[in-house]
């Protein structure tokens, strides 16, 4: 079991949360706390960079949806970056690959958003 790590940084398009370790029932409250601490503004892009994520259970998937709902409430968009293969497989099985914008890394998500604006 790997402890959850969350690093928050700002990008030109909005906040980026770099999430590593295990995102499961025991650790999702940490991500929810980090999400609640964000200041999102309409038109921004919230990026969840999952490149260092080692494990994600159904509670973790639910928390990704919580992040999406938070972004929508504030008039922002959300993107997932560097989604590990196992997590991506689950997202595809449940159809969430059509709900989230998926990018190979945070830089690609930032660039895609910049081009769209």
């Amino acid at each position: 079991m790997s402890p959850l790590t969350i690093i928050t940084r700002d990008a030109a398009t909005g906040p980026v949360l770099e999430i590593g370790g295990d995102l499961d029932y025991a650790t999702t409250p940490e991500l929810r706390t980090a999400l609640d601490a964000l200041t999102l503004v309409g038109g921004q892009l919230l990026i969840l960079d999952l490149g260092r994520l080692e494990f994600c259970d159904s509670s973790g998937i639910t928390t990704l949806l919580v992040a999406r709902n938070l972004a929508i409430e504030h008039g922002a968009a959300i993107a997932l970056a560097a989604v590990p293969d196992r997590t991506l497989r689950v997202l595809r099985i449940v159809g969430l690959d059509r709900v989230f914008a998926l990018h190979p890394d945070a830089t690609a998500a930032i660039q895609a958003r910049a081009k769209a604006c």
Side-chain angles (χ1 to χ4, degrees):
M1 180 174 219
S2 296
L4 185 69
T5 60
I6 303 168
I7 298 169
T8 304
R9 63 180 174 87
D10 291 319
T13 54
V16 177
L17 274 66
E18 298 174 6
I19 302 166
D22 293 346
L23 184 58
D24 58 21
Y25 179 78
T27 61
T28 55
E30 295 173 52
L31 180 53
R32 287 181 185 226
T33 298
L35 291 167
D36 289 340
L38 293 177
T39 302
L40 283 172
V41 178
Q44 285 186 319
L45 175 65
L46 170 60
I47 299 171
L48 302 182
D49 183 338
L50 306 179
R52 294 183 297 121
L53 190 67
E54 295 179 21
F55 175 79
C56 184
D57 71 2
S58 61
S59 300
I61 299 295
T62 299
T63 306
L64 297 178
L65 289 168
V66 167
R68 179 181 180 271
N69 292 341
L70 178 71
I72 290 169
E73 284 176 22
H74 288 91
I78 187 168
L80 304 181
V83 180
D85 289 340
R86 288 182 182 176
T87 303
L88 183 58
R89 182 173 183 264
V90 172
L91 293 177
R92 286 185 173 140
I93 289 170
V94 298
L96 292 177
D97 60 327
R98 292 172 288 196
V99 173
F100 288 104
L102 302 173
H103 298 278
D105 55 42
T107 300
I110 292 166
Q111 291 172 344
R113 181 65 173 191
K115 286 180 185 177
C117 291

